[in-house]
Amino acid sequence: MSTPPIIDPGTAAVDTNQLIAERREKLAALRAQGVPFPNDFKPRHHAAELHQRYAQVPNEELEPQQVMVAVAGRMMLKRVMGKACFATLQDGSFGDTHGRIQLYVTQDLVGPEALAAFKHWDLGDILGCEGVLFRTKTGELSVKATSVRLLTKSLRPLPDKFHGLADQEQKYRQRYVDLITDENARARFVARSKCLSSVRNYMVEHGFLEVETPMLHPIPGGANAKPFVTHHNALDQQMFLRIAPELYLKRLVVGGFERVFEINRSFRNEGISVRHNPEFTMMEFYAAYWTHHDMMDFTENVLRHAARQATGSALLSYAGKPIDLDARFARYSVCEALVAFAGLSETETRDAALLRQRITAAGEAAPAHWKLAELQFGLFEAVVEAQLWQPTFIVDYPVEVSPLARASDTDPAITERFELFITGREVANGFSELNDAEDQAARFLAQAENKDAGDEEAMYYDADFIRALEYGMPPTAGCGIGLDRLVMLLTDSASIRDVLLFPALRREG
């Protein structure tokens, strides 16, 4: 359970600029006395560790042991009572007390000068304290200070709202304050770190080699998306921030690395929403001699493992509704999904005029050049996608919307592709890779024609990738997992901004 910051009520009505001015005056006095920001204190203990270790020890056993500790952290509460003071220190640990431990500062133990100085320190200041562990009469584990020092003077007061920052955009802009005052925010980003670490470890344990590929591309590729454009001065050429690492990773499969993965930042110059940020974290991975069916099975297991490692369970709750990552994920083709979720008959899924009408009725555009397969996919995106709450694979995508996927050997109009949807959002995208160089070249040319027709997200023709395929790539399957969206799921976060430490925002002012 989250513990809100405890703010000195006496500061609530005081002008922030006045408080900052007062703190700067205190810092000026510290500068006059000597080193204002000392760097010679070494904490040897953390609050969570101390609470865990001594949780069951009563004071009559604890205090006689004279357990000496050294802690450091931010002062979140201070109570001044004559010759004795209490303070709450918050460090970087967690646990049931959220990294907080109480200090008991008395004139008898620290001396009159240190106590007088302590009384002038402010909430938000970073302190170092040495002392003996004991329990107060109310049973709270505390440090009876033998010395206490100011390590960093805080020039800005903590938020004057009882629950920390109230404005959501301010939370994103000033994430450092959000992390200080909101235990839930800290826990969310710890869960993100555990999620990414668990995914990385799972890949390595299953024989995948972690690699790094360029973030600056001479030709954007690997996805249908609008790229960020920049210029390389020394080479005097236009460059693009990568929209996906796919084509480089498949070059490595050509080179003989049969299982590769990359956890990477990708960039797409598109809209910002609760699901989209211009830069985002994804993992792409490729395995030779796998099909898209193997890849779907493996992707299920990756997500289950990440959930268990980050949250302790594969049974989750999102927006008040259950999510079951333990059960086998459902699988539908695009047309089957239109029948199951859009109310169409099988015959109606092949009626181009009806599909176009339904897309328009849903408030989406249906470009004139779209053929039947693109209309089917367009209606799926407009109507079905948001309904896929439980983990669901959509398979058998049309060739027209899957320019890098391998066509089915039994039906050349569809590809061996899948997308995974959870809570109505795409979480993963994968397929049996196209390893026919001539087929790939023809699809690149078709994409180039779409670009000439005004499609800014269509792909470029990548001659070097075609050359790589001409050396021969073994049968391969690949997948990309949106790790930001996975973390949203695992932490029950409504917006991608909630799981990015520093999301993209319009410049202040």
Side-chain angles (χ1 to χ4, degrees):
M1 184 175 68
S2 176
T3 300
I6 307 170
I7 306 300
D8 183 351
T11 67
V14 181
D15 182 77
T16 298
N17 291 331
Q18 178 186 338
L19 291 174
I20 293 175
E22 291 174 358
R23 293 187 180 210
R24 290 189 183 279
E25 289 177 4
K26 292 179 181 180
L27 177 57
L30 291 172
R31 293 187 191 280
Q33 295 169 12
V35 179
F37 293 93
N39 191 27
D40 58 351
F41 185 86
K42 302 294 183 186
R44 300 188 301 274
H45 306 88
H46 283 94
E49 163 208 344
L50 295 174
H51 282 288
Q52 183 177 17
R53 184 171 180 181
Y54 298 101
Q56 306 301 322
V57 183
N59 190 57
E60 54 267 26
E61 295 179 21
L62 178 60
E63 198 166 1
Q65 294 180 32
Q66 290 291 291
V67 179
M68 292 294 300
V69 299
V71 294
R74 191 178 299 275
M75 184 163 60
M76 302 299 291
L77 168 68
K78 183 175 70 171
R79 286 184 289 143
V80 175
M81 299 181 298
K83 295 183 180 180
C85 300
F86 285 96
T88 298
L89 216 62
Q90 177 176 289
D91 63 23
S93 62
F94 289 88
D96 295 337
T97 61
H98 313 303
R100 293 183 176 186
I101 193 165
Q102 182 170 263
L103 308 184
Y104 179 54
V105 185
T106 65
Q107 179 173 299
D108 291 344
L109 290 178
V110 302
E113 290 186 8
L115 182 63
F118 177 84
K119 290 180 178 181
H120 286 85
W121 298 342
D122 298 299
L123 300 187
D125 287 350
I126 296 174
L127 315 181
C129 176
E130 293 182 314
V132 178
L133 281 183
F134 79 111
R135 288 191 184 280
T136 64
K137 292 180 180 180
T138 60
E140 183 170 357
L141 186 67
S142 306
V143 179
K144 188 179 294 183
T146 56
S147 70
V148 60
R149 298 175 60 195
L150 177 61
L151 305 180
T152 300
K153 182 64 193 170
S154 172
L155 296 179
R156 288 183 176 270
L158 295 174
D160 59 6
K161 299 295 183 183
F162 187 71
H163 291 283
L165 293 174
D167 182 81
Q168 191 62 50
E169 183 168 325
Q170 197 175 10
K171 283 175 174 279
Y172 300 145
R173 289 193 184 279
Q174 300 181 29
R175 182 67 81 185
Y176 37 89
V177 181
D178 184 34
L179 294 173
I180 291 170
T181 59
D182 187 351
E183 166 65 18
N184 288 334
R186 292 199 300 277
R188 188 184 316 126
F189 288 105
V190 169
R192 179 188 176 101
S193 179
K194 289 181 178 179
C195 173
L196 268 63
S197 295
S198 69
V199 167
R200 174 175 280 110
N201 293 338
Y202 191 86
M203 300 303 293
V204 173
E205 289 169 2
H206 286 78
F208 284 82
L209 179 71
E210 184 171 13
V211 297
E212 296 170 294
T213 62
M215 297 176 76
L216 281 175
H217 291 187
I219 298 174
N224 292 92
K226 187 176 180 180
F228 283 94
V229 183
T230 186
H231 187 270
H232 193 294
N233 291 336
L235 297 178
D236 191 23
Q237 69 180 37
Q238 188 180 58
M239 301 289 282
F240 304 87
L241 295 184
R242 73 172 165 207
I243 55 176
E246 176 172 338
L247 301 185
Y248 283 95
L249 291 173
K250 288 196 282 194
R251 285 172 170 91
L252 298 180
V253 178
V254 171
F257 290 154
E258 293 184 351
R259 294 189 184 185
V260 293
F261 79 100
E262 182 174 10
I263 294 177
N264 64 82
R265 288 296 253 198
S266 291
F267 307 83
R268 298 182 184 178
N269 197 359
E270 300 169 344
I272 296 176
S273 73
V274 295
R275 293 183 292 172
H276 300 90
N277 194 67
E279 56 177 309
F280 57 96
T281 302
M282 63 187 300
M283 178 177 72
E284 286 206 14
F285 53 106
Y286 295 83
Y289 311 109
W290 281 16
T291 68
H292 66 306
H293 294 294
D294 300 313
M295 191 57 72
M296 282 190 280
D297 293 339
F298 187 80
T299 299
E300 282 193 33
N301 290 329
V302 170
L303 268 57
R304 288 192 189 103
H305 178 77
R308 289 169 181 154
Q309 293 298 308
T311 72
S313 174
L315 300 175
L316 310 173
S317 175
Y318 187 85
K321 300 179 183 179
I323 300 292
D324 187 357
L325 297 183
D326 261 333
R328 180 173 170 80
F329 296 0
R331 301 184 185 190
Y332 295 91
S333 70
V334 173
C335 288
E336 287 171 344
L338 291 175
V339 172
F341 297 96
L344 272 63
S345 67
E346 290 187 21
T347 301
E348 287 173 328
T349 65
R350 297 186 292 274
D351 185 334
L354 174 66
L355 294 172
R356 190 179 298 278
Q357 182 182 20
R358 289 289 300 271
I359 293 171
T360 304
E364 301 293 335
H369 68 271
W370 275 11
K371 302 180 179 65
L372 176 63
E374 292 159 315
L375 291 168
Q376 291 170 339
F377 185 63
L379 183 59
F380 166 82
E381 287 191 314
V383 175
V384 176
E385 186 175 313
Q387 300 182 56
L388 303 179
W389 189 264
Q390 293 296 335
T392 303
F393 285 113
I394 300 298
V395 299
D396 298 342
Y397 277 73
V399 169
E400 289 86 345
V401 297
S402 307
L404 296 173
R406 173 189 176 90
S408 168
D409 291 340
T410 57
D411 184 354
I414 62 173
T415 59
E416 296 183 349
R417 177 187 174 189
F418 67 85
E419 283 187 297
L420 173 62
F421 295 90
I422 309 176
T423 68
R425 298 174 178 137
E426 178 197 345
V427 175
N429 180 28
F431 34 79
S432 300
E433 302 296 335
L434 182 61
N435 61 346
D436 181 335
E438 293 180 349
D439 189 354
Q440 180 66 83
R443 296 200 203 184
F444 274 157
L445 287 172
Q447 284 284 300
E449 291 175 1
N450 287 345
K451 184 170 287 294
D452 291 341
D455 186 348
E456 294 182 328
E457 295 185 354
M459 295 184 187
Y460 289 72
Y461 188 95
D462 190 333
D464 179 70
F465 180 67
I466 297 300
R467 179 170 58 190
L469 288 184
E470 288 172 346
Y471 280 96
M473 185 175 78
T476 298
C479 180
I481 297 176
L483 295 179
D484 299 320
R485 293 186 184 179
L486 175 58
V487 176
M488 288 173 64
L489 174 67
L490 299 184
T491 60
D492 194 8
S493 299
S495 171
I496 193 172
R497 293 182 178 187
D498 295 331
V499 300
L500 299 176
L501 282 168
F502 301 102
L505 300 168
R506 190 180 302 277
R507 183 181 298 172
E508 287 186 275

